[in-house]
Amino acid sequence: MEIAILIGTRPEIIKLSPVVKACEQMGKDFFIIHTNQHYTKEMDKIFLEELGIPPAKYNLEVGSGSHGYQTGVMLERIETVLIKHKPNLIILEGDTNTVLAGALAAAKLNIPVAHVEAGLRSYDRTMPEEINRILTDHLSELLFAPTDIAEKNLKNEGIDSKKIFVTGNTIVDAVISHLSYARKKSDIHSRLKIKQKKYILLTMHREENVDNKEKLKDILEGLKKIIKILNLPIIFPIHPRTEKMLERFKLKLPEGTIKISPLGYLDFLVLMADAYLILTDSGGIQEEACILKVGCITLRENTERPETLDVGANRLAGTDPDRILKETLYMEKKVKEWENPFGDGKAAKRIVEIIYAR
Ligand code: UD1
Ligand code: UDP
């Protein structure tokens, strides 16, 4: 049995890296297809290298474009590879356009789809990711739900419970296996001339935030208020989409924000672990903050990771400047003690065992 593992963007490389490792350790036959949805070195190559991902057998060189264009080109190119190579199953992770294209191409060729991180729901269909997740789950034969909440979401949509397995989230595997090495290897604090717990970490790239001038302006106003009250710098490894939109809208970051290029996983992991607080609209970073016991303020009105809210690790702040400040001050005061709801760090091994026991 040979399986295809599909990657395309930064979070997929990170969250599938433990699955790749598990396949290697268990001596399983696999090959990698990379759509190259992400292609800039800091969004792509650095992760492949740091996380030890073997070279992709197929680089599809799709790159950027509108949703329809990007998904369409991926669909066509993934289909060509699947027809040529005929894997017995395809593994994909998350909710990007890469994932939807991969699931659709495979399902139409009767190649079983194994979806890692199945069942997440924000119940907000204005998000492209929500559409991708729902469709992918309904195209999948094996659904690896990270938590009981995700499993319940799938059952509520009528998906056969025999296809669903609660495994934990592979992000826990990735954090556990890299944190101590990252601490030894990374000199990010000295490079940025910052001290542990004396900075706030920020990331934002959600289309509904950064492609909307008013929302982006409001978030920047919120950052200004935080810097004024907390008197801490905000470190901002900026996603290329956000960089592009700030330029297009001619918006300036408030003084006290330190904008840097996107970081590799080792530097970023250390920066997250030692942050005073994390402000983000990322999906994965809400989980990592929770795992690392760093308070998180999410710059969105909803989340597909409600577990982080339930354990008290995360607060939804939306984009209103006063609310962003209020939630940041709330999280600042909170004792950062909670249970990690995302599993024991053995999700990847479980996933590979289930696939091969099928
Ligand atoms: C995509 C995913 C999102 C995920 C994110 C991870 C979809 C619909 N969105 O969003 O769910 O959270 O990846 O980071 O699949 N760009 C570069 N270099 C790159 C990649 C992108 O410069 O390597 C720029 C281009 O200007 C591009 C823009 O970023 O147009 C957006 O890239 P795209 O892949 O469409 O979406 P992301 O915002 O990265
Ligand atoms: N990340 C990183 N360097 C950065 C920003 C993020 O390594 O400069 C990692 C982060 O630790 C997380 C993943 O990228 O594991 C999240 O990716 P992103 O926020 O782009 O996507 P999302 O999770 O929202 O889909």
Side-chain angles (χ1 to χ4, degrees), residues 37-40 64 96-97 129 205-206 239-241 244:
Q37 176 171 345
H38 285 176
Y39 46 88
T40 310
S64 305
T96 64
N97 288 344
E129 292 84 358
H205 71 281
R206 287 261 91 75
H239 188 291
R241 174 192 282 274
K244 184 172 76 179

Side-chain angles (χ1 to χ4, degrees), residues 266-286:
L266 301 180
D267 282 338
F268 194 72
L269 197 49
V270 172
L271 212 50
M272 280 192 291
D274 292 338
Y276 187 58
L277 291 169
I278 297 178
L279 290 161
T280 193
D281 63 10
S282 158
I285 296 170
Q286 292 174 60

Side-chain angles (χ1 to χ4, degrees), residues 210-226:
V210 306
D211 287 21
N212 179 317
K213 187 173 181 185
E214 288 317 308
K215 282 193 181 177
L216 187 53
K217 226 166 126 178
D218 278 350
I219 294 174
L220 300 184
E221 195 52 41
L223 300 181
K224 194 168 159 188
K225 287 174 187 278
I226 293 170

Side-chain angles (χ1 to χ4, degrees), residues 64-187:
S64 305
S66 69
H67 286 279
Y69 168 83
Q70 193 179 49
T71 314
V73 176
M74 286 174 187
L75 184 61
E76 196 182 6
R77 294 189 189 171
I78 296 169
E79 181 186 59
T80 305
V81 169
L82 295 180
I83 289 171
K84 183 171 165 212
H85 211 102
K86 295 190 182 59
N88 301 90
L89 177 140
I90 185 165
I91 304 181
L92 34 81
E93 184 281 332
D95 52 22
T96 64
N97 288 344
T98 293
V99 173
L100 174 59
L104 192 51
K108 291 273 184 79
L109 294 168
N110 294 319
I111 294 171
V113 176
H115 188 203
V116 176
E117 208 179 47
L120 274 60
R121 295 290 181 268
S122 65
Y123 296 100
D124 174 1
R125 290 221 186 186
T126 64
M127 292 179 74
E129 292 84 358
E130 182 75 354
I131 296 167
N132 292 343
R133 292 179 194 118
I134 294 170
L135 294 174
T136 301
D137 284 335
H138 286 262
L139 291 165
S140 296
E141 282 302 311
L142 286 172
L143 295 100
F144 298 114
T147 64
D148 294 341
I149 292 178
E151 180 189 37
K152 196 158 156 254
N153 292 338
L154 295 169
K155 286 185 177 168
N156 286 344
E157 289 176 17
I159 292 178
D160 184 351
S161 58
K162 288 200 282 298
K163 296 180 178 180
I164 308 170
F165 300 86
V166 179
T167 56
N169 195 311
T170 59
I171 194 65
V172 184
D173 311 25
V175 169
I176 291 176
S177 57
H178 292 97
L179 186 58
S180 54
Y181 179 67
R183 284 208 177 285
K184 277 186 219 128
K185 195 91 180 138
S186 170
D187 60 352

